Amino acid sequence: MTGMISAVAIAFGITCIIFLLLLVKFARPWLQAMLSGVPIPLIAVIAMWLRRIDVDLIVQTYIKLVQAEVRVPIENLERHYLAGGDVALVADALIAAKNRRQNLSFEQAAQTDLARENRK
């Protein structure tokens, strides 16, 4: 009986340690977004990590776009990253176009970026 209790306690302890390590890993970008007024669900941050997306890059770029009042779904940034695009460059182009009062969609900026990447 005590052996089973010990095994359960050890398993619980290991589970808690893993949970805490994951929380620390994902809490920073999630908190950064929340404190910037750009709520991103914690599960979305974890999902990005599982898809091998640079979480910090996407979160920081998304915050910059929202604060510049450029509306782009975070999923578009993730997709562009996975396609091999330069997410920060596209965001900067969208913000610059908005400041110059030019119409530039995310799709146009992303296509231009990917075409530039293919020429290299």
Side-chain angles (χ1 to χ4, degrees), residues 41-102:
L42 183 58
I43 192 72
V45 174
I46 295 169
M48 280 186 246
W49 177 76
L50 290 172
R51 290 191 299 270
R52 301 192 190 280
I53 292 173
D54 185 341
V55 174
D56 290 326
L57 173 67
I58 298 298
V59 169
Q60 290 170 3
T61 303
Y62 187 64
I63 290 169
K64 183 165 64 168
L65 285 167
V66 170
Q67 289 178 342
E69 298 180 355
V70 176
R71 302 291 176 222
V72 174
I74 196 167
E75 294 82 10
N76 288 6
L77 299 176
E78 294 174 33
R79 230 177 282 122
H80 189 63
Y81 177 86
L82 290 172
D86 187 334
V87 175
L89 183 69
V90 169
D92 290 342
L94 290 169
I95 292 168
K98 180 186 181 285
N99 291 339
R100 290 189 309 264
R101 294 193 166 113
Q102 294 176 329

Side-chain angles (χ1 to χ4, degrees), residues 1-10:
M1 184 70 170
T2 57
M4 186 167 167
I5 293 173
S6 296
V8 169
I10 290 171

Side-chain angles (χ1 to χ4, degrees), residues 18-57:
I18 291 171
F19 177 76
L20 288 174
L21 289 173
L22 288 175
L23 185 61
V24 167
K25 178 175 183 58
F26 302 122
R28 189 183 43 73
W30 178 75
L31 271 174
Q32 181 183 12
M34 295 300 282
L35 294 174
S36 297
V38 182
I40 298 172
L42 183 58
I43 192 72
V45 174
I46 295 169
M48 280 186 246
W49 177 76
L50 290 172
R51 290 191 299 270
R52 301 192 190 280
I53 292 173
D54 185 341
V55 174
D56 290 326
L57 173 67

